[in-house]
Amino acid sequence: MSKNIDLYSSSYSNYSLETYSEIRLETYGEDYGQTSWASTAESHEIPELLQLTSDSSVLDIGCGSGGYAVGLAKRIGCRVTGFEINASGVKTATALADKEKVTDLVKFEQHDASRELPYENNSFDAIYSTDVLCHVPGRRDVLANTQRLLKSGGRFVFSDALVIGGLISHEELEKRCPDGLYFFSPPGINEQLIQESGLKLVEARDTTENSALLSKRWHDAREKRKDALIECEGKENFLGVQQFLQCVHTLTSERRLLRFLYTCSK
């Protein structure tokens, strides 16, 4: 399979196309531009885990196309800063905030989470990151940076979709990692790094079942719209993404690859 499969830029740049919206609705049950393994129930629970109020200042690490951050601001009234390494994601997110008239509450920037972030110490009441840290090098430094940015008593919620649960073949790794950087975590390493960063682990929740379900729904929703997607993405990319989603489903349903949701406090 080609190593140039595009999993994210096409989704971000084609955010507003009806075909992609239909796929998100069929996969998740609601559409805010998501491309993660977070179920709708998990997405609804994250504000509670973060203990958000209308006075909260929030940082979204890896905001994607910005839909979740915009939704938080609209529902709760909190201030959200989202950043993303992908330029298409930032462009789409900024346009969405303007369309939804929440630019007074939400702003989006392009940054690399593996580098020192341009925010002052103790800047945020809450920080979250959905299925992003498994793509970022230097996780120990990322967690330490997060601890620096959180106010005392603040909360950090993140998920890791690449926790090793069993044997995975070389061929499966290639299918699961068709583009970009991927970092697989031995069991217990996130808990160790959280402690070393100075954060306190509140909960580590196994959400692998959701990954298995969503990857199957996502694959099948795309397959129904094969012709339209090939026109947008090209045949090679369409087939590559389908192979990726099938691999995710196989590995997670067999629990050889696990996903965990971590809630931390400072």
Side-chain angles (χ1 to χ4, degrees), residues 118-136:
Y119 309 116
E120 296 184 0
N121 294 355
N122 308 307
S123 296
F124 299 98
D125 298 295
I127 301 175
Y128 68 92
S129 183
T130 304
D131 297 335
V132 172
L133 296 195
C134 53
H135 300 292
V136 181

Side-chain angles (χ1 to χ4, degrees), residues 17-188:
L17 294 183
E18 184 176 358
T19 298
Y20 287 86
S21 179
E22 290 174 352
I23 291 169
R24 292 189 294 266
L25 281 169
E26 198 164 317
T27 301
Y28 301 98
E30 62 182 18
D31 174 21
Y32 49 82
Q34 61 270 57
T35 55
S36 73
W37 309 116
S39 67
T40 297
E42 178 183 310
S43 297
H44 289 174
E45 187 183 10
I46 284 176
E48 297 177 13
L49 295 176
L50 292 172
Q51 300 179 339
L52 298 185
T53 70
S54 59
D55 295 324
S56 297
S57 58
V58 187
L59 180 66
D60 181 349
I61 298 177
C63 62
S65 54
Y68 191 73
V70 168
L72 278 184
K74 290 180 69 175
R75 292 195 307 272
I76 298 172
C78 54
R79 289 169 287 111
V80 185
T81 299
F83 75 84
E84 169 66 39
I85 195 171
N86 187 292
S88 295
V90 176
K91 181 179 180 180
T92 299
T94 301
L96 180 64
D98 184 61
K99 177 183 176 182
E100 297 296 327
K101 303 186 187 311
V102 290
T103 53
D104 57 328
L105 292 175
V106 187
K107 64 177 180 178
F108 296 104
E109 303 169 344
Q110 186 173 7
H111 298 304
D112 182 344
S114 69
R115 300 182 180 276
E116 188 78 5
L117 296 172
Y119 309 116
E120 296 184 0
N121 294 355
N122 308 307
S123 296
F124 299 98
D125 298 295
I127 301 175
Y128 68 92
S129 183
T130 304
D131 297 335
V132 172
L133 296 195
C134 53
H135 300 292
V136 181
R139 190 171 307 183
R140 177 180 282 104
D141 292 338
V142 175
L143 291 172
N145 202 20
T146 301
Q147 194 271 353
R148 175 183 71 82
L149 296 176
L150 270 180
K151 297 178 183 178
S152 178
R155 286 205 163 192
F156 175 41
V157 172
F158 75 96
S159 52
D160 184 356
L162 297 181
V163 179
I164 299 170
L167 297 176
I168 303 175
S169 71
H170 164 73
E171 291 80 6
E172 288 170 324
L173 282 176
E174 285 193 340
K175 293 176 184 177
R176 180 59 182 79
C177 309
D179 72 337
L181 293 172
Y182 293 79
F183 297 90
F184 290 76
S185 306

